[in-house]
Amino acid sequence: MLAPEKIWWKPLHRFEKTWVIVALVWCVMLTAMMPIWFMIGRQNVPTETYTTTPEQYQAKVDAFVEQYQVDELNGLPVVAPPPGSDVYILARQWQWYPIVKLEKGETYRLHLSSMDVQHGFSLQPVNLNLQLLPGYDYVATITPTTAGEYSLVCNEYCMIGHHLMLGKLFVE
C-alpha cells in the first residue's frame, strides 16, 4: 500500500484563498470589536465590588429589612426603599432575600452578595447577570425603566434545590 500523495506544498485554490482571507478579516474585526464594544456598548453593568464577610453583609440586610419593610409575601419581607438609596439583596441556598419594590425611573444602588456558595444573579426578563461569591459585596447602579414584576433567578448551579431558587423584584 502506498500512502496518498502529500499536497501541502501545492498552491491553494482560488476559493480556498478567498475563504481563508474572509476568515482572517472576520477574526480581526471581532477582536477589534471587543474593546470597542466594551467602551461604547450599553450592556455593561456599572459595578463596584467590596470585600465583606457573610456575617457583616447579613447584618446590613437585616437592618435594611427592618428599616424599609412594608409587607410580607410567602413568609418573606417585602421592602420598599426610598429612591436613591442602597438596596440589599442576599443569596443563600435556595433563596433570594428580601423581596424588593422599586420606583420606575428612580436610581438605586443594588448590593448583592452570597452567604454560602457561588450563585448567579439573573434579573429576568431584563437579562442582567452577575456572579455572586461569598465575601464580596457587588454593587450595581440601576434605574428601572419599565413597571412590572421581575424574577430573580440563580443561573449558577448551587446544589440540589437550585431549581427552586426564585425571587421577586417589583417596579411600580
Side-chain angles (χ1 to χ4, degrees):
M1 283 237 165
L2 293 175
E5 180 185 357
K6 296 182 180 179
I7 58 168
W8 61 268
W9 61 86
K10 292 184 180 178
L12 292 175
H13 186 272
R14 176 183 96 180
F15 294 138
E16 291 173 312
K17 285 182 190 176
T18 302
W19 283 111
V20 167
I21 291 169
V22 167
L24 287 174
V25 168
W26 187 247
C27 287
V28 168
M29 190 172 83
L30 290 177
T31 302
M33 284 304 294
M34 285 189 286
I36 292 170
W37 195 251
F38 178 77
M39 299 303 236
I40 64 169
R42 294 195 169 245
Q43 82 284 4
N44 301 312
V45 178
T47 58
E48 305 166 35
T49 306
Y50 304 99
T51 56
T52 186
T53 65
E55 295 78 20
Q56 290 171 334
Y57 192 79
Q58 179 74 55
K60 287 181 182 181
V61 172
D62 292 341
F64 170 70
V65 169
E66 185 178 320
Q67 185 174 6
Y68 298 118
Q69 182 173 356
V70 294
D71 200 359
E72 191 171 296
L73 181 65
N74 298 329
L76 290 174
V78 178
V79 181
S85 65
D86 290 327
V87 176
Y88 291 89
I89 298 177
L90 65 81
R92 62 180 161 220
Q93 290 179 322
W94 296 277
Q95 180 186 61
W96 294 103
Y97 180 89
I99 298 170
V100 178
K101 278 188 181 179
L102 304 177
E103 293 181 31
K104 177 182 168 184
E106 301 294 339
T107 300
Y108 298 89
R109 287 172 37 92
L110 184 61
H111 292 256
L112 301 159
S113 188
S114 169
M115 296 294 104
D116 42 31
V117 298
Q118 179 175 346
H119 292 283
F121 174 83
S122 180
L123 181 62
Q124 295 297 325
V126 177
N127 201 24
L128 170 65
N129 291 293
L130 296 169
Q131 290 297 309
L132 308 180
L133 296 169
Y136 293 95
D137 177 1
Y138 299 92
V139 184
T141 303
I142 62 168
T143 304
T145 57
T146 307
E149 180 179 321
Y150 295 85
S151 297
L152 306 181
V153 178
C154 179
N155 57 12
E156 189 70 40
Y157 182 69
C158 57
M159 304 309 274
I160 193 98
H162 167 72
H163 64 289
L164 301 173
M165 191 169 172
L166 298 171
K168 297 221 179 285
L169 185 142
F170 297 100
V171 177
E172 299 178 334

